[in-house]
Structure formats: structure tokens, C-alpha cells
Amino acid sequence: MFLRSQRRDLMTPRSNVPMRWRDEVSRILITKAELHRRVNSLAAEIERDFAGRELVIVSLLNGTVLFLADLIRRLTLPLRLDFMGVSSYRGGTEARELIFTKELRLDVRGRDLLLVDDILDTGKTLACVLAKLGRLKPKEIKTCVLLDKPSRRVEKVAADYVGFEIPDLFVVGYGLDFAERYRNLPFVGVLHPNVYLNGAESMTSAAK
Ligand code: 5GP
Ligand code: MG
């Protein structure tokens, strides 16, 4: 669901991008304040829905780091945390094959799971991870994503908790990267075409 305040944010003019990032970010899509408010309300929803239960949070690396840190410090219910490493974007804006770079360590059999990811795009990542987690026989799996691009969906998968629905744009910041850059931006912004037109190739090798 799109709140009117979120929609207004999509119109944030380019001039709102801090000078430091103007060549690389064409506009801010979701401000730091909007992120803060929405993550608080997501945490409140989760807290309400899982009241009285112990939660195992499985978070997908690396894109969830900022979102997860903000989300879990708002939760007071008992929880355990584990990570899975999944990589689908390798230095570009087009999806490639899914690679597991870190496996789960906690035993999740019979547990209430909350799977956290940064963005739900084609749905291939979530569908694949959900199938993998399902084989471990948890009691229940709920999913939480910061961003959702419903127009790009290929797999029939939806998240139970969605921070913001966004249009089909490649975004960076607040944990989301392009070639491992821009994760540290405190806002979610649209990647400037200059960045990928100038060649992901050189950026990837520069990052090595
Ligand atoms: P899906 O498998 O749903 O197509 O893609 C999910 C993954 O693709 C996300 O976890 C994220 O890593 C990456 N992704 C999809 N859209 C974007 C985007 O707009 N920006 C960034 N930085 N990553 C994206
Ligand atoms: Mg990711």
C-alpha cells in the first residue's frame, strides 16, 4: 500500500540530493525521515503479530544490514538472529544466477521465522530462499522487505510486511548497492544513469 506521504517522496526534486552524491544519484526516492518512520511502524506491526512468541529472524546479506539494524532495535520480543548470504546482482543492474554465499547456522525446525530482505524485485530470490527454508521445517515463515517493485514480478511471491512499494527504478542506499557501493547512503535514491552507462566493468574491477 502506498501512503500519500510516500508518493510525495517520489517527487522529491534532484536538488534535494546532497551535493556529494549529485553525480551518482539522480533523485532521492525515500528520505531518511521517511525510512525512520516506516521502519518504526513495521516493527510495531511485527511486534503485534508475533506477541508472546520467540522469533528467529533470517536476514539476507548484504543488502539488509542498515534496515535490519534499525528494525530489530525497535523490537522487544524475544528473538534470535541469523544470516544467509545470497547474491544475484554481480556488479550490474540485471539479475544473474542466484548464489548462496553463507548458509544458515541456527536450527529453525518448529520455529517462527521472519525472513528479511532489502528489496523484492522479480521474486526469484525470495521464492528460492523460501523453498530452501521450507525444507528445514519451521512452524511458520513470514517475510519482510524494505522495498517492493511489484511491476517487475516474475515469481508468484508476495511479502507479508512491505516498507515501501516503488516503481521500476534501480535504487541504491540504506543498504542497497551498485557494485558494492552506495550502501552507506542514509536515504534510498535512484542511481544516476551516468554510473552504469560509464561501465559496471571498470567499477567492479576498481572495487576488487
Ligand atoms: P529478485 O530476486 O526479487 O529479482 O531480486 C532481489 C534482489 O535483487 C535484492 O535482494 C537486491 O539485492 C537486488 N535488487 C533488485 N532490485 C534492486 C534495486 O533496485 N537496487 C539494488 N541495489 N538491488 C536490487
Ligand atoms: Mg540482496
Side-chain angles (χ1 to χ4, degrees), residues 23 30 39 53 56 71 90 99 121 126 133 138 151 158 171 182:
D23 292 339
I30 308 167
V39 174
R53 292 191 268 171
V56 175
L71 184 73
R90 313 207 68 221
I99 301 161
D121 187 26
L126 223 55
L133 287 174
S151 62
V171 293
Y182 310 114

Side-chain angles (χ1 to χ4, degrees), residues 113-116 126 130 141-145 157-162:
L113 294 194
L114 181 68
L115 176 61
V116 177
L126 223 55
L130 281 170
I141 312 178
K142 290 271 174 129
T143 50
C144 173
V145 295
V157 55
D160 298 295
Y161 305 95
V162 173

Side-chain angles (χ1 to χ4, degrees), residues 18 30 43-44 48 51 70 75 91 108 114 117 147 150 164 184 190 204:
I30 308 167
R48 202 175 44 233
D70 286 343
L75 295 174
V108 299
L114 181 68
D117 200 8
L147 306 174
F164 301 85
N184 57 316
V190 180
T204 327

Side-chain angles (χ1 to χ4, degrees), residues 61 63 117-118:
L61 294 169
D117 200 8
D118 52 2

